[in-house]
Structure formats: structure tokens, C-alpha cells
Amino acid sequence: MLHLYTFCVDIGKHSIIELINVLKILINSLDKTNIYKLHIFTNFNININHPNIVLHEYFDNSISIYKDTWLNLSFNKIYIYKYLFDKYKIDFTWVDLDTVFTSDVSYINDISSFFIDCGGINEDPHLLIFNTNINIPRNKWIQGNIWKLNSQLYNKFIEIYKKISLNNMKLNFDLQSLFTYYFYFILDGNEKTLLDNDIYIIGRNIKKNVMNGLCIWDPNGNTHANINGLNNLYYENGLLKSNFYPDKEIHIVSFTFDTLKQLYNTKKFQELFINN
């Protein structure tokens, strides 16, 4: 069974109706592909009666490091991981609300961590820490929409974050920058080093036939979800693929909330992810 958690929190960025619509898409995709339990942290009433859903009242367990409410919400994911680990003694997997599962990913249970990166061929520099020249090629950027930690990694990330803060540095983009900085600057980022440290990046050092990153939307791998990328997705023998990378399987589809809102009522989206 997959043990997942997500936030469905109203911070005035999206309407409650939109939040619920996107949550239903996530749940629908999980129902079709996985045996799971999804823990949802929310600050409003969600009327749902589902055997695989556990509702929690959202709480902010983080230090506010940004002036941006959304970024602070996002950084809180790591502290909620620790809360769930302490409560259930399970390493939960974070999943963004705006993520769609298209395949059984129970193999996550077999590895001690799970990450995905943008993938593709785009190597434009992506800033990790403000007011520094610490950059990473975009295709190696670790995404934040789904990841699994273990207690050792949690402790390491908190240690690194404290050191960064003591040096008056600020991560450019919450946990994604933190993960990427550790993998490629504190460690050297090569496959053996990552594996030796129990770090598994799908498509890079494990399951190299799988591509779950944002690169599925564009041949250069440097954009978010869009209608052109959607029209280039198709199923082959029950597996989702992209015309841009036809030799790769897609098990998890990465959107952003804004792009998902633009796409989920389209005929192509409905064909691929709702009526399929």
C-alpha cells in the first residue's frame, strides 16, 4: 500500500471549488492505478467519505522563511512528514494536489527514498540559492510535486537548512532547492554517490525507462504543462507515453495548479485521465 499525504489548503490563491475539483482528479487517478491511503491536511470542511482517505486539520509546523504564503505552505511539507513519521512510524510520500497517477507505482515501497527531476535535455542554469552563483541545469532540478524521505534524509535536510540559514542565505524555491543543493553540491550527484546515500531519482539512477518530469510537456524539457504537450500524450499497451520521448514510460504526470485548471476540462484531458 502506498502511504501518501497532501495539502488541500485555502490560502486565497485558488477557490475551494477549484481545490476540490483538483483533489477529485488526484483521487480518481489513484483509485484506478494504486492500492493506497491518502492523508489530506486541510483548513476547510471537505465532505468526502472514502475508505482510502484520512482527513487532518492543517497546521503550520514550520518557521516562516518566506514573505510568500504559498512558499511557506510548501516548505511545511517537510515538517508534516516528520509529524506523520512520528505518529505512524511510516515514511510517507508527499504528493502535490495537482498530480495525476497513470500507473501502479507501488515500487516506491521498495526504496527508502523517491524523487523525480525535470528531465529532458534543457541545461539552462537554474538558481538554487539567492545572491549566489549556485546553479543547476534545469534537467537535473529536483521537482517538488512528489517525493519520499526517510528519517536519516529528513535529519540531513534540516541540518543543511539550518546551516544555510545561519549563513544568511535563502533557498530560491523551498524544498526543491534544498533537495537539489544536497544531491548535487554537498554530494557530487553521480549515480553511485546517490545510491550509496539511499537517494533514488526515478529515470536517473533507477528505473531509467521512466520519465515523470515536466519535460514530458515539451521536446526541450523547459516548460510547464500545456495543450501542445497534452495532445502529444498517448497510451501504448496501457502505459502513458509522450511523442517527445516515445521510449519512456510516464507513471506520474506533473502539472502546476494553474496549468491543470486550464487543461482539466479539455476533451484530450478527459480522454486521457478521466474516461480512460
Side-chain angles (χ1 to χ4, degrees), residues 15-68:
S15 72
I16 288 177
I17 291 174
E18 290 167 337
L19 289 167
I20 294 297
N21 285 344
V22 171
L23 174 61
K24 289 178 178 177
I25 293 169
L26 170 61
I27 292 172
N28 176 64
S29 74
L30 283 165
D31 285 342
K32 292 193 292 186
T33 57
N34 285 272
I35 299 172
Y36 73 97
K37 188 75 73 173
L38 176 65
H39 291 247
I40 302 170
F41 289 79
T42 184
N43 62 350
F44 60 89
N45 182 50
I46 297 178
N47 184 20
I48 187 169
N49 183 17
H50 192 299
N52 298 337
I53 302 299
V54 180
L55 295 173
H56 300 259
E57 183 176 352
Y58 177 77
F59 62 94
D60 189 345
N61 209 26
S62 73
I63 301 168
S64 294
I65 62 170
Y66 298 97
K67 294 180 180 179
D68 184 285

Side-chain angles (χ1 to χ4, degrees), residues 191 195 201-211 247-249:
E191 289 186 19
L195 292 173
I201 303 176
I202 304 304
R204 192 163 294 276
N205 68 349
I206 188 173
K207 291 194 174 293
K208 296 183 181 182
N209 63 319
V210 177
M211 179 176 282
D247 59 329
K248 303 292 185 180
E249 301 173 8

Side-chain angles (χ1 to χ4, degrees), residues 202-245:
I202 304 304
R204 192 163 294 276
N205 68 349
I206 188 173
K207 291 194 174 293
K208 296 183 181 182
N209 63 319
V210 177
M211 179 176 282
N212 295 324
L214 287 170
C215 65
I216 69 169
W217 299 107
D218 182 90
N220 294 319
N222 62 348
T223 189
H224 291 299
N226 56 62
I227 190 63
N228 181 55
L230 189 69
N231 286 330
N232 274 280
L233 296 178
Y234 64 96
Y235 284 96
E236 181 179 271
N237 299 322
L239 295 169
L240 185 67
K241 295 191 172 185
S242 167
N243 284 319
F244 304 137
Y245 302 95

Side-chain angles (χ1 to χ4, degrees), residues 140-198:
K140 293 184 178 180
W141 176 266
I142 301 299
Q143 293 187 191
N145 65 303
I146 183 165
W147 43 262
K148 174 187 175 183
L149 306 185
N150 55 58
S151 58
Q152 291 78 22
L153 272 177
Y154 168 82
N155 291 331
K156 176 60 68 174
F157 287 133
I158 295 301
E159 174 191 340
I160 295 167
Y161 168 67
K162 288 179 178 178
K163 288 181 180 179
I164 290 172
S165 299
L166 286 173
N167 288 322
N168 295 316
M169 297 190 295
K170 184 184 289 187
L171 298 165
N172 184 31
F173 201 67
D174 67 270
L175 296 174
Q176 300 174 48
S177 295
L178 180 60
F179 298 162
T180 308
Y181 178 67
Y182 177 52
F183 299 164
Y184 288 100
F185 288 88
I186 294 180
L187 303 177
D188 60 21
N190 72 51
E191 289 186 19
K192 184 178 185 304
T193 302
L194 293 173
L195 292 173
D196 286 346
N197 285 272
D198 288 329

